[in-house]
Amino acid sequence: MGRLGLGIAVGCALAACIVAAAMVGKRARRRRKWKKMVKVLEELEECCDTPVGRLKQVVDAMAVEMHAGLASEGGSKLKMLLTYVDKLSNGSEKGTYYALDLGGTNFRVLRVHLGGQRSAILGQDIDRQPIPQHLMTSTSKDLFDFIASSLKDFIEKEGNGLEQPSPRRRELGFTFSFPVKQTSVSSGILMKWTKGFAIEDTIGRDVSECLQLAMSRKGLDVRVAALVNDTVGTLALGHYNDEDTVAAVIIGTGTNACYLERADAIIKCQGLLTTSGGMVVNMEWGNFWSSHLPRTSFDIDLDIASPNPNDQGFEKMISGMYLGDIVRRVLLRMSEESDDFGPSSSKLATPFVLRTPLMAAMHEDDSPDLNEVAKILEVLELPDVPVKVRKLVVKVCDVITRRAARLAAAGIVGILKKIGRDGSGGIASGKFRSDRPSRMRRTVVAIEGGLYTSCTLFREYLNEAMAEILGEEVSSHVILRVMEDGSGTGAALVAAANSVSEADRVQLQ
């Protein structure tokens, strides 16, 4: 071989070595980036871990905060608000009653016909419609006029086989699912808006009066007989169907809980008298906080960027309004660590672009190639994401969903612990004593909200955690029961229980 041929051969070999080295270097860089992305997931899993020991610490913290909130105003992050609902429907109520349900992005009008015995709802009509976006930040008059107009349209369509109401004035239950300081069973002052509402001139006003004035402007002869939030309505329906129902939890766009408390345990209201000896307490548990909650840097960033930093900490970890955005923040961090997601997406950097229903759809995608995940990522301007990356996305959804469900379970058990329904009174060494009958009472918790009712894996994780915390024997006595349209129908039931004109049954001495 001549010198020229040798030179060419050496040059080709050198070029091949350079190409090979470049390819090896590229693969090494990709592996490093992949490992960085996996590390984000591993750190997330570690920070979100909820072993049963930690959940029991959350249970104890919830019970302690409940005690503190009942002892004094401002004594706890939990507001523990009096509802003045001291007696729930017992089934004897008869007639037709109405309800308005304002609790989020949708608004409902209901008509309920009661037959005079437990679980005897003879029929009901429901009309659903979205709240126009502009009304969520408009004026009090605009919002309540819209509500009153909707009610008027609904009443004018009365019929559909239901017995017509008597000539007496119509009675209405108003489900208003925002923090309210109740002043009676039918009135309350709005403390603050949540869930995207921001109507300044309503804060500090009696929301029942706002509705009553709007109905008068529309020529409606309707009395607000009860003002409740969605949890109280759900509890009312649960108790109407099953008298062992002692608490209600909403796990949807937002989250909250209420329960039946002994009147003498509400220390901050000395001299509180009720005919039943108890009262429904609205916990406003979305604001619960404890150092035992497994918080991540993504939670901190979300909180800082929110309109209400350092507020609603529990809600931001377990409710549908926030879970999708936590996942989005994790995916954004991953995309910054690796180009496996493809070119950077400005859409992925947009807060709340990934809504929780989309997150749930990705989480529950069981197709071999995760096609649903691919479609949703395309909506986020992340096309052609490899299957191995899609699997990571599903895992992120799983970690955030599982943490939320297990924390919600701990919150529920915290309520049961506070009222002595967690089995501790009838248990020795973790088991029921064999020498005496169990003292564990049957306990029903009513649940409403799309996160629990529609997200299969969320529901499974929550139920699983309840069993872990309570133990198999105790958990068999605790029933979580879904209430369909509980917040609205329950408001009508509370209105029915408070429809007869009589002296207030709840008094302060």
Side-chain angles (χ1 to χ4, degrees):
M1 181 184 296
R3 288 185 178 180
L4 180 59
L6 181 61
I8 292 173
V10 170
C12 290
L14 182 60
C17 288
I18 292 172
V19 170
M23 291 179 65
V24 169
K26 186 176 181 180
R27 282 197 295 267
R29 285 192 298 274
R30 289 181 68 88
R31 280 197 298 270
R32 283 196 298 271
K33 289 182 177 181
W34 172 256
K35 286 181 179 178
K36 283 184 178 181
M37 194 160 58
V38 171
K39 188 177 181 182
V40 172
L41 174 60
E42 291 173 345
E43 290 176 350
L44 180 73
E45 288 183 288
E46 184 179 349
C47 291
C48 290
D49 193 26
T50 51
V52 69
R54 184 171 212 167
L55 293 179
K56 287 182 177 180
Q57 290 176 318
V58 175
V59 168
D60 292 341
M62 179 68 78
V64 167
E65 288 297 306
M66 290 173 72
H67 276 286
L70 291 172
S72 64
E73 292 291 350
S76 165
K77 280 271 192 180
L78 297 176
K79 297 186 185 301
M80 305 301 286
L81 302 173
L82 275 66
T83 65
Y84 291 85
V85 176
D86 70 317
K87 179 182 174 185
L88 296 169
S89 299
N90 58 17
S92 64
E93 299 81 9
K94 297 178 69 174
T96 301
Y97 298 89
Y98 296 81
L100 298 174
D101 185 357
L102 177 65
T105 54
N106 291 312
F107 169 68
R108 295 184 297 171
V109 188
L110 301 91
R111 178 172 48 248
V112 179
H113 189 61
L114 305 178
Q117 53 186 304
R118 191 174 290 280
S119 296
I121 296 177
L122 302 183
Q124 61 181 0
D125 292 332
I126 303 174
D127 181 39
R128 295 178 177 85
Q129 55 185 297
I131 292 287
Q133 190 74 28
H134 72 278
L135 290 180
M136 296 171 68
T137 55
S138 184
T139 66
S140 181
K141 183 177 182 299
D142 288 343
L143 176 64
F144 285 98
D145 277 355
F146 168 77
I147 293 171
S149 293
S150 300
L151 176 61
K152 184 175 183 179
D153 292 342
F154 182 77
I155 289 175
E156 288 175 352
K157 298 173 186 174
E158 209 148 55
N160 298 327
L162 288 182
E163 179 184 322
Q164 297 302 304
S166 65
R168 66 177 173 80
R169 191 179 194 187
R170 292 179 174 90
E171 304 279 356
L172 177 141
F174 184 22
T175 302
F176 187 78
S177 302
F178 302 90
V180 166
K181 183 175 177 59
Q182 207 91 13
T183 52
S184 75
V185 72
S186 60
S187 61
I189 306 300
L190 176 63
M191 301 168 70
K192 66 178 179 180
W193 287 105
T194 55
K195 306 173 191 176
F197 283 77
I199 305 172
E200 289 298 322
D201 68 334
T202 316
I203 298 174
R205 295 181 62 187
D206 180 350
V207 292
S208 290
E209 183 182 24
C210 292
L211 176 59
Q212 200 75 65
L213 290 171
M215 291 190 297
S216 295
R217 286 194 293 269
K218 300 299 178 182
L220 288 173
D221 186 21
V222 180
R223 182 180 81 94
V224 179
L227 174 67
V228 301
N229 73 1
D230 49 0
T231 51
V232 177
T234 298
L235 177 57
L237 179 58
H239 193 270
Y240 183 75
N241 291 326
D242 190 326
E243 62 184 353
D244 287 332
T245 304
V246 297
V249 178
I250 303 294
I251 311 176
T253 303
T255 185
N256 193 15
C258 72
Y259 71 105
L260 282 166
E261 181 59 273
R262 300 188 332 270
D264 60 5
I266 308 174
I267 300 170
K268 63 185 177 182
C269 289
Q270 291 291 337
L272 185 67
L273 297 178
T274 70
T275 55
S276 66
M279 181 180 289
V280 178
V281 173
N282 168 20
M283 293 174 61
E284 291 295 332
W285 86 347
N287 205 40
F288 168 69
W289 186 254
S290 165
S291 60
H292 299 300
L293 294 174
R295 201 182 198 198
T296 70
S297 61
F298 303 103
D299 298 302
I300 294 170
D301 291 343
L302 182 147
D303 182 53
I304 292 171
S306 71
N308 56 341
N310 300 315
D311 197 15
Q312 297 298 106
F314 196 48
E315 181 169 81
K316 287 171 181 172
M317 297 179 81
I318 71 173
S319 79
M321 184 168 184
Y322 299 101
L323 297 189
D325 201 59
I326 296 173
V327 169
R328 178 196 66 80
R329 290 171 181 274
V330 178
L331 299 185
L332 180 61
R333 176 80 59 83
M334 285 182 165
S335 71
E336 292 168 348
E337 298 290 353
S338 170
D339 54 8
D340 282 299
F341 275 98
S344 61
S345 164
S346 59
K347 199 160 189 178
L348 190 59
T350 305
F352 296 99
V353 69
L354 179 60
R355 296 176 60 249
T356 297
L358 293 178
M359 181 210 76
M362 292 195 295
H363 187 201
E364 299 185 357
D365 184 0
D366 57 1
S367 62
D369 293 332
L370 299 174
N371 294 322
E372 188 65 26
V373 175
K375 290 177 185 176
I376 293 170
L377 291 177
E378 282 186 21
V379 173
L380 299 176
E381 297 177 353
L382 294 169
D384 304 320
V385 174
V387 173
K388 68 173 185 176
V389 179
R390 293 180 217 167
K391 290 180 179 179
L392 281 188
V393 171
V394 173
K395 185 61 179 176
V396 171
C397 295
D398 185 70
V399 171
I400 298 303
T401 300
R402 187 171 188 269
R403 180 187 68 166
R406 290 173 68 81
L407 290 178
I412 294 171
V413 179
I415 297 172
L416 302 184
K417 183 180 181 69
K418 166 65 183 69
I419 60 176
R421 295 290 191 111
D422 65 334
S424 56
I427 291 194
S429 302
K431 293 184 178 180
F432 287 103
R433 294 180 181 174
S434 58
D435 60 343
R436 59 178 178 156
S438 163
R439 291 185 291 177
M440 183 65 193
R441 298 171 61 188
R442 179 176 179 273
T443 297
V444 179
V445 178
I447 298 189
E448 189 179 26
L451 204 54
Y452 185 84
T453 59
S454 302
C455 300
T456 303
L457 291 173
F458 182 96
R459 183 168 61 253
E460 289 177 359
Y461 285 146
L462 189 151
N463 295 344
E464 176 186 75
M466 291 282 293
E468 285 182 34
I469 300 167
L470 291 169
E472 186 176 339
E473 290 178 288
V474 175
S475 65
S476 66
H477 294 270
V478 178
I479 300 160
L480 302 182
R481 180 161 293 161
V482 173
M483 292 292 115
E484 295 292 340
D485 286 321
S487 58
T489 306
L493 291 170
V494 179
N498 291 274
S499 63
V500 180
S501 297
E502 58 180 284
D504 287 343
R505 289 176 285 108
V506 183
Q507 306 170 30
L508 284 174
Q509 284 187 329

